[in-house]
Amino acid sequence: MTAIEAGDPDAALEIYQRQIRPTGSPYPPLNVFTDTASLLWRLSLAGTAGLEPYWREVAAYGDRFFPQAGAHFADVHYALMASTTNQEGLQTRLAQMEARAAGGKLAPGEGAISLCRGVQAFAEGDHERAVRILEPMLSELVRIGGSHAQRELWEDTFIVACLRAGHGNKAARVISERLHRRPSRRDQAWLRDARPAPHS
């Protein structure tokens, strides 16, 4: 993540290949799955190409350890993976999450489903819809758990969706709030994209 923040996604991918990918990892499955899926998604947002083999590896891991909806933090990361590799699997997972929500068994409630649908829209290239879905969810991210850095992934997705859909003002607002908390070369680059210099 530090390499991505510094604007060096190639270095982040090299670290992923050496130390993070799921094959042979000794760490708990939830940590392995969420860390790998989120890092690949961040790399995708940064414009890294050729990630398909890594996504397939993470998909196999996720289907092995999290074949059904249950742990909502795994489920929202399953959506990252499935929106990239397996749309049919994502639809199945969303239906399972909706059934759990209807039965009062989805701790974050419908918000977790909305986050999944937001990344689905983004992966489909419907950035306008992704913005509409994710924008009201930004204030609810704490409900899914994880660290602030982990939850920023959905802010990242919202920002890139805004930039691609022509909503630079919305992106700039979120980016500016983040830059008040911590420096980020990547966020500064996004802010320049959100606020293009006037033509001379």
Side-chain angles (χ1 to χ4, degrees):
M1 286 178 59
T2 302
I4 294 174
E5 289 278 349
D8 192 354
D10 290 341
L13 181 57
E14 184 180 344
I15 293 168
Y16 177 88
Q17 292 168 329
R18 289 198 323 264
Q19 301 177 4
I20 302 174
R21 61 192 305 181
T23 303
S25 175
Y27 300 107
L30 181 61
N31 298 90
V32 173
F33 182 56
T34 58
D35 286 350
T36 54
S38 62
L39 185 54
L40 290 180
W41 186 266
R42 291 175 196 270
L43 286 169
S44 179
L45 292 178
T48 302
L51 296 176
E52 292 81 4
Y54 304 109
W55 275 120
R56 287 195 294 270
E57 190 176 57
V58 172
Y61 189 91
D63 287 336
R64 175 185 174 192
F65 287 99
F66 303 99
Q68 304 290 329
H72 68 266
F73 200 60
D75 291 334
V76 294
H77 285 79
Y78 190 95
L80 302 176
M81 174 274 290
S83 68
T84 305
T85 64
N86 182 5
Q87 282 288 335
E88 184 176 342
L90 177 57
Q91 290 303 119
T92 299
R93 183 59 53 105
L94 285 167
Q96 292 172 350
M97 292 175 72
E98 288 167 351
R100 290 181 63 81
K105 296 179 180 179
L106 187 64
E110 294 289 337
I113 297 170
S114 292
L115 292 178
C116 296
R117 293 201 180 282
V119 300
Q120 179 185 31
F122 185 93
E124 291 173 350
D126 191 343
H127 300 112
E128 190 72 47
R129 183 161 61 96
V131 169
R132 289 199 306 271
I133 295 171
L134 292 174
E135 186 171 19
M137 293 296 103
L138 296 183
S139 62
E140 302 292 320
L141 287 175
V142 68
R143 297 186 56 155
I144 67 170
S147 68
H148 186 85
Q150 287 172 312
R151 295 191 298 269
E152 272 194 355
L153 178 144
W154 283 273
E155 286 185 0
D156 294 348
T157 306
F158 174 74
I159 288 168
V160 175
C162 284
L163 294 176
R164 293 180 181 177
H167 296 296
N169 57 330
K170 293 184 178 184
R173 184 169 59 250
V174 175
I175 297 166
S176 296
E177 290 172 358
R178 284 160 44 134
L179 287 171
H180 280 301
R181 297 196 302 264
R182 82 286 185 274
S184 167
R185 185 178 300 173
R186 181 207 52 189
D187 279 10
Q188 289 170 345
W190 277 345
L191 188 59
R192 287 192 294 271
D193 290 340
R195 294 174 174 168
H199 295 294
S200 55

